[in-house]
Amino acid sequence: MRARLLLVVLLALAGCGGTSGPGRVVVLALDGMDPETVDLLMSEGKMPSFARLRQEGAYARLVSSPPLLSPIIWTTIATGKTPAEHGIGHFVAVNEKTGEELPVTSRMRRVKALWNIASDAGRTVDVVGWWATWPAESVRGSMVSDHACYHFLFTDGATGASSAVGLFHPPELAEELRPMIRRPGDLGPADVAPFVHVTPAELARPFDFNDDLSHFKWALATADSYRRIGLHLLARDRPDLLLVYVEATDSTAHLFGHLFRAQGLAGELAEQQRRFGGAVEAMYRYADTIVGEYMAALDRRTTLVVLSDHGFELGALPDDPSKTRDMRRVSERYHRPEGILYLWGHAVKAHARLDRPTLVDVAPTLLALAGMAPARDMPGRVLTEGLEIASPPRTVETYENGARVAAVGAGDTAVDPAIVERLRSLGYLDTASPRGDRNLAAVHFQAGRYAEAAAAYAELARQQPDDGALRASWAGALGALGRYDEALVQLGEAVRLAPLNPESYHNRGVVYEKQGHTADAVREYRTALRYAPQYEPSRQALARLTGSASSGGPASDAERRASALAERASQAARRGDYPAAMKTLDEAERAAPRYALVQQYRANVAFLMGDRAAAAAALRRALAIEPDNELYRANLRELEKAPAGK
């Protein structure tokens, strides 16, 4: 009898899945979640689900790689291939027939993603909201494309029959999931109260991506929609692989991250902090709640993987005080190069530390957990130091058969203006980051493939001959190949076309330095810093050559005092204390009346105070002192051409 009872218990344990062999995998992607901030909030007891992941599973900071742009990184994670291989290079591409910008699509991906590989192997797959999944692909399961919630921003749901094509696979999934999709207008005071402090009238404003509150409501509504859909599909299907993407952690940081625990704010910044200063922390706690819900929904055969594509510098005010009026701290400049990676549940070692995992390690690890072999052409490794399973033999040369699963639905020419506007409102379309094929050329350069980078930049320059930044990058690749004379020709054009681009001067300095012309190199590095004082490559070069990482600095005791006072004024302006900043600048101007930097700072503060005439007058005084300063000239043009009050 005892032996029979033991056999029954063993069979029951086997039915629960045990701790070995392939199981199910759930991936929860939290865009832009910063590891330092997670650690801080965990230490304060505010993220109990993450604390449990850390205590019971395996963890490390995920080492990301530039460019730190979400579509590129999440496609690298989903494919196990580098950007040069998978072909996704930016948020948008250009329709060659119409010239219109369109968000990246699934058809632009050149290789198979995990959902294609698993479907081909007969496994069931559900995908929710992942970047670059529209049009939705045919998988052995369900796909909710990344466009789904954009279209449901509008009162009547999708903006029209044609734009609804390709949102879901299978198409009939739309009706089943529609009740789970929340629009920004569905959020009431109780929904937003944990995050922001606004009036009912503000909450009722018509939706506009250029409005910070509207944008936040979109991020929160989308996160809640994808959370609900993912949990629904997990309970309904118990798929072998589920991938759920949540973007709101990143958008909230872009909108309000500069206010996170910032000290000593005054004026309009203090008012911003009163209303929105708790949004980032509340969003991280909301993400912790989502993690807890998924942990509770898993069985013993399932591994949970929680990760982010990069971190985020929070609580740092922009260097340029004029950026503080618009709360969107835009561009990947504020991204940190490490994200998070947690493994928990089936086949995961408790209390384990992963050894510096990289983006390309994620896909092989997910395949191994699901009982599939990573292909030999996947450059990453299986993170066995955190697993109770061995890395499976790489019996597959490649999963690419030249006929990737075809995307269904609308073609790439179906541009959705709402999505492009959303990217524009976050600043991604107006930053210095190169787009598309430029990013892929930059990947070649960063990997030391200079000939490939030079060839790619040459073709891009042929297509866009008036792009100075592009020519500066091309010159960098030429210089790395030792083709200095050709590089200098391109840099001359780059400076002519884009005289404020610090990369042009820096790359010219590099060429001069390699040719042994140190004085010329120092001049170029200082010029780069003249227009971009925090441009780190030139700062490092000057520190190496001169012992000082500055553009030359003040020439007299009076100018040194004025410079110190201007910096104090800048700090006051960054905190929003404009009267104190102006008072300090008055003192600086008395100390050195002919020091142009003081006038530049005065123009910034006057602009923040809404006095455009005073800002323009300060820039004219600065130009009288430094008539060759292109930055002053460009800023004055911007002031003079904008309508009054803008």
Side-chain angles (χ1 to χ4, degrees):
M1 181 68 180
R2 182 178 178 184
R4 181 179 177 185
L5 179 61
L6 180 61
L7 178 61
V8 170
V9 171
L10 289 174
L11 288 173
L13 287 173
C16 290
T19 60
S20 62
R24 302 186 183 97
V25 181
V26 172
V27 180
L28 189 56
L30 302 171
D31 200 301
M33 179 160 268
D34 179 60
E36 291 187 17
T37 307
V38 172
D39 289 349
L40 171 65
L41 296 177
M42 274 200 297
S43 72
E44 296 173 348
K46 295 176 178 176
M47 298 186 73
S49 300
F50 272 87
R52 187 179 171 198
L53 290 177
R54 182 78 65 91
Q55 293 161 4
E56 299 176 4
Y59 163 76
R61 295 188 178 191
L62 182 64
V63 181
S64 194
S65 56
L68 298 177
L69 299 176
S70 294
I72 304 174
I73 301 176
W74 288 115
T75 304
T76 297
I77 288 170
T79 61
K81 302 292 182 68
T82 66
E85 295 169 302
H86 64 61
I88 299 298
H90 199 262
F91 289 88
V92 296
V94 176
N95 183 322
E96 295 181 359
K97 295 181 180 179
T98 66
E100 291 178 286
E101 291 178 329
L102 66 156
V104 290
T105 72
S106 57
R107 289 183 171 180
M108 296 175 185
R109 198 181 70 246
R110 299 171 185 161
V111 299
K112 290 185 178 180
L114 289 165
W115 45 86
N116 308 126
I117 295 169
S119 294
D120 290 348
R123 307 299 177 88
T124 56
V125 180
D126 289 336
V127 182
V128 181
W130 204 272
W131 263 106
T133 50
W134 178 85
E137 299 171 69
S138 297
V139 295
R140 193 181 293 268
S142 301
M143 178 169 283
V144 180
S145 80
D146 58 329
H147 286 212
C149 281
Y150 293 113
H151 290 266
F152 284 91
L153 289 171
F154 303 95
T155 304
D156 298 324
T159 55
S162 60
S163 62
V165 174
L167 296 183
F168 303 94
H169 172 82
E172 55 269 22
L173 193 63
E175 288 307 311
E176 177 184 344
L177 299 183
R178 191 180 297 271
M180 301 175 201
I181 294 178
R182 303 187 76 188
R183 308 174 184 89
D186 296 331
L187 300 182
D191 296 301
V192 303
F195 302 91
V196 297
H197 302 292
V198 296
T199 66
E202 290 174 298
L203 199 60
R205 286 196 301 245
F207 184 85
D208 182 354
F209 264 133
N210 289 315
D211 172 67
D212 295 304
L213 179 58
S214 288
H215 202 137
F216 174 74
K217 288 166 61 181
W218 167 82
L220 180 58
T222 300
D224 191 48
S225 300
Y226 288 156
R227 173 192 70 85
R228 293 166 181 245
I229 291 169
L231 288 168
H232 170 74
L233 295 177
L234 176 62
R236 187 194 73 176
D237 301 338
R238 289 290 166 186
D240 296 311
L241 177 63
L242 169 66
L243 300 100
V244 180
Y245 171 82
V246 174
E247 196 273 350
T249 39
D250 187 67
S251 266
T252 304
H254 276 287
L255 292 167
F256 311 127
H258 64 300
L259 305 172
F260 177 75
R261 301 194 178 184
Q263 301 296 312
L265 301 185
E268 62 183 315
L269 275 177
E271 177 60 16
Q272 285 181 16
Q273 191 173 55
R274 183 190 69 78
R275 301 169 72 225
F276 303 110
V280 170
E281 180 172 327
M283 183 56 69
Y284 273 58
R285 297 179 74 168
Y286 176 67
D288 186 81
T289 300
I290 295 175
V291 169
E293 290 178 314
Y294 277 83
M295 293 173 78
L298 304 186
D299 60 26
R300 292 183 59 197
R301 288 193 60 241
T302 305
T303 307
L304 177 64
V305 179
V306 180
L307 75 164
S308 67
D309 52 339
H310 56 75
F312 211 106
E313 183 183 359
L314 297 170
L317 295 171
D319 296 320
D320 182 353
S322 67
K323 298 274 175 59
T324 58
R325 173 154 292 154
D326 184 348
M327 287 185 287
R328 290 183 291 276
R329 297 170 64 248
V330 300
S331 92
E332 68 272 24
R333 175 182 173 183
Y334 293 97
H335 292 171
R336 284 203 270 238
E338 290 182 327
I340 59 172
L341 178 60
Y342 290 83
L343 310 178
W344 180 86
H346 174 72
V348 177
K349 296 177 183 177
H351 312 294
R353 286 300 298 258
L354 305 174
D355 184 15
R356 288 188 61 78
T358 66
L359 300 176
V360 293
D361 297 332
V362 176
T365 301
L366 297 179
L367 289 172
L369 285 166
M372 291 179 281
R376 285 196 285 270
D377 66 348
M378 290 181 170
R381 65 185 182 89
V382 177
L383 302 172
T384 53
E385 67 271 23
L387 304 179
E388 294 174 343
I389 59 173
S391 179
R394 299 210 178 195
T395 56
V396 178
E397 180 65 34
T398 181
Y399 285 109
E400 311 305 329
N401 55 15
R404 186 175 67 78
V405 177
V408 298
D412 292 349
T413 58
V415 181
D416 184 345
I419 303 175
V420 173
E421 179 55 33
R422 183 255 161 180
L423 296 174
R424 193 183 313 282
S425 72
L426 265 185
Y428 278 125
L429 305 192
D430 299 310
T431 70
S433 176
R435 301 183 185 184
D437 290 340
R438 294 198 215 187
N439 273 332
L440 301 182
V443 169
H444 283 307
F445 184 88
Q446 290 152 6
R449 298 188 293 268
Y450 302 127
E452 292 92 332
Y457 283 128
E459 174 58 23
L460 288 166
R462 185 189 66 77
Q463 299 170 13
Q464 304 167 61
D466 295 331
D467 191 319
L470 183 56
R471 288 180 180 271
S473 298
W474 181 14
L478 291 170
L481 291 168
R483 295 159 60 180
Y484 301 137
D485 291 341
E486 295 174 72
L488 288 173
V489 169
Q490 296 306 323
L491 287 167
E493 281 296 291
V495 169
R496 182 183 67 82
L497 292 166
L500 295 182
N501 181 14
E503 184 186 8
S504 301
Y505 303 101
H506 177 81
N507 285 352
R508 190 150 64 180
V510 170
V511 171
Y512 286 147
E513 189 176 350
K514 288 182 179 296
Q515 291 179 325
H517 306 315
T518 303
D520 291 333
V522 168
R523 184 190 68 241
E524 297 296 331
Y525 294 143
R526 284 178 172 164
T527 303
L529 293 182
R530 182 187 200 186
Y531 298 136
Q534 302 305 315
Y535 188 68
E536 195 59 30
S538 290
R539 288 174 60 85
Q540 292 176 3
L542 280 175
R544 175 170 44 78
L545 293 176
T546 70
S548 172
S550 75
S551 60
S556 65
D557 289 342
E559 287 188 356
R560 279 188 282 275
R561 172 168 168 71
S563 178
L565 288 167
E567 182 56 33
R568 190 191 308 169
S570 174
Q571 296 300 321
R574 291 174 71 188
R575 296 191 305 271
D577 193 348
Y578 308 138
M582 276 300 193
K583 183 177 180 181
T584 305
L585 287 170
D586 289 341
E587 185 180 354
E589 188 169 359
R590 287 193 294 272
R594 295 284 299 168
Y595 191 38
L597 181 69
V598 174
Q599 302 301 329
Q600 177 188 351
Y601 280 43
R602 186 182 291 281
N604 279 343
V605 179
F607 177 80
L608 283 168
M609 296 174 70
D611 191 343
R612 300 177 63 86
L619 286 172
R620 292 190 189 99
R621 289 194 294 272
L623 273 170
I625 300 168
E626 293 185 11
D628 64 336
N629 192 305
E630 290 291 341
L631 177 62
Y632 301 160
R633 197 177 308 281
N635 287 345
L636 183 59
R637 281 197 300 267
E638 289 299 312
L639 274 176
E640 291 176 337
K641 77 179 183 181
K646 294 293 184 182

